[in-house]
Amino acid sequence: MPSDELAPPNWPLSVIYTSCTIVSPHFPSPQLHYINRLAKPNSTLRSLPPLPLCKHPKDVARIKLVTQPDHPAKGQNGLFAVRKVEAGAKVIDYVGVIHSRTPEGQERAAVDEHEESDYDLSLIRCMSVPLPSESETQTEPTLIDIGIDAAKHGNAARMINDYRGIASKPNCEFRQVWDPVSGWARMEVWTLPGVGLKKGEEVLVSYGKGFWAARTS
Ligand SMILES: C[S@@+](CC[C@H](N)C(=O)[O-])C[C@H]1O[C@@H](n2cnc3c(N)ncnc32)[C@H](O)[C@@H]1O
């Protein structure tokens, strides 16, 4: 898998470290224009620019084993600020495997390896926009649901825990952005406006109530 740097300290051996997001080999080509703004109706993965590298921001955040006895993720990892980070600033890119959760994307994979993942974020979720070439064949809008999963390949952002049971509110959020040069969609982690991070503080987001509801039922 593509990577131009060594894994950061405390990286788990069972996960492949990558500084470059990967598009799943099962990703349907007709959906490429939802994840790359330069894609045309006949684009393929090979015809599009490479996905950009996301280097580990070692002066900003580091992975640490959680040892506090009252921490709900004790024994697991978390991501912690190495220095003070201003409010409304980028912390790290969320690197993983981009995959389609729509039936078209799932049918292409024998087994949907992302279904049970605890590291799968929603990257793009919208109703389908028929391309000019499809407008006669596709009349019904369908849900386009695309995820980015760091279960097996990822970077340090996969260690970010949910704030529940740790703090009264999150200090960071996930933001979907577009790479201005290569056109690719990507996920980033930013400090919340008016909040920021203190040196040594754990980076905490909200996974959303749906994440926990799906795991308690
Ligand atoms: C994206 S991973 C976060 C990184 C994880 N701690 C690790 O070491 O790989 C999500 C998993 O972390 C744990 N986790 C994250 N936030 C938590 C919280 N607030 N309370 C309990 N467990 C949490 C849960 O096991 C959850 O399924």
Side-chain angles (χ1 to χ4, degrees):
M1 286 297 161
S3 191
D4 73 330
E5 57 178 358
L6 295 174
N10 299 329
W11 185 257
L13 290 175
S14 58
V15 183
I16 296 173
Y17 177 76
T18 175
S19 52
C20 187
T21 280
I22 300 155
V23 178
S24 164
H26 306 297
F27 194 89
S29 295
Q31 289 180 18
L32 281 172
H33 63 289
Y34 291 100
I35 56 168
N36 189 303
R37 287 191 157 172
L38 305 179
K40 301 201 168 49
N42 60 351
S43 288
T44 60
L45 200 47
R46 281 173 176 230
S47 68
L48 290 169
L51 285 102
L53 288 175
C54 306
K55 293 203 169 217
H56 179 75
K58 53 180 179 297
D59 60 330
V60 179
R62 60 176 291 223
I63 301 167
K64 258 176 54 181
L65 179 70
V66 175
T67 53
Q68 298 104 291
D70 56 345
H71 194 297
K74 181 177 177 245
Q76 298 185 13
N77 287 307
L79 191 71
F80 293 80
V82 168
R83 58 161 169 84
K84 179 183 170 197
V85 184
E86 300 300 326
K90 182 178 164 183
V91 178
I92 190 170
D93 293 279
Y94 191 94
V95 172
V97 178
I98 296 180
H99 64 104
S100 177
R101 298 158 166 172
T102 57
E104 194 184 357
Q106 286 166 346
E107 276 162 21
R108 289 167 53 111
V111 181
D112 185 1
E113 59 181 277
H114 307 286
E115 204 177 336
E116 306 269 296
S117 172
D118 284 341
Y119 300 82
D120 193 21
L121 305 183
S122 176
L123 180 66
I124 305 278
R125 199 174 155 84
C126 62
M127 295 312 286
S128 64
V129 185
L131 292 167
S133 59
E134 295 171 339
S135 55
E136 283 180 11
T137 50
Q138 191 190 338
T139 47
E140 289 295 314
T142 54
L143 178 68
I144 298 294
D145 189 6
I146 295 169
I148 179 164
D149 185 11
K152 293 186 179 161
H153 303 86
N155 71 345
R158 77 188 290 287
M159 305 308 181
I160 297 174
N161 287 319
D162 179 89
Y163 78 97
R164 290 167 180 82
I166 304 168
S168 57
K169 54 187 173 70
N171 47 36
C172 288
E173 64 179 353
F174 293 117
R175 279 193 203 172
Q176 189 266 307
V177 299
W178 297 95
D179 186 82
V181 179
S182 66
W184 288 105
R186 71 159 177 255
M187 193 65 93
E188 297 181 347
V189 180
W190 286 65
T191 52
L192 283 165
V195 182
L197 285 164
K198 298 188 197 85
K199 183 178 177 181
E201 193 177 353
E202 182 170 4
V203 176
L204 296 169
V205 295
S206 173
Y207 291 179
K209 286 182 187 156
F211 177 92
W212 298 108
R215 282 153 186 83
T216 49
S217 56

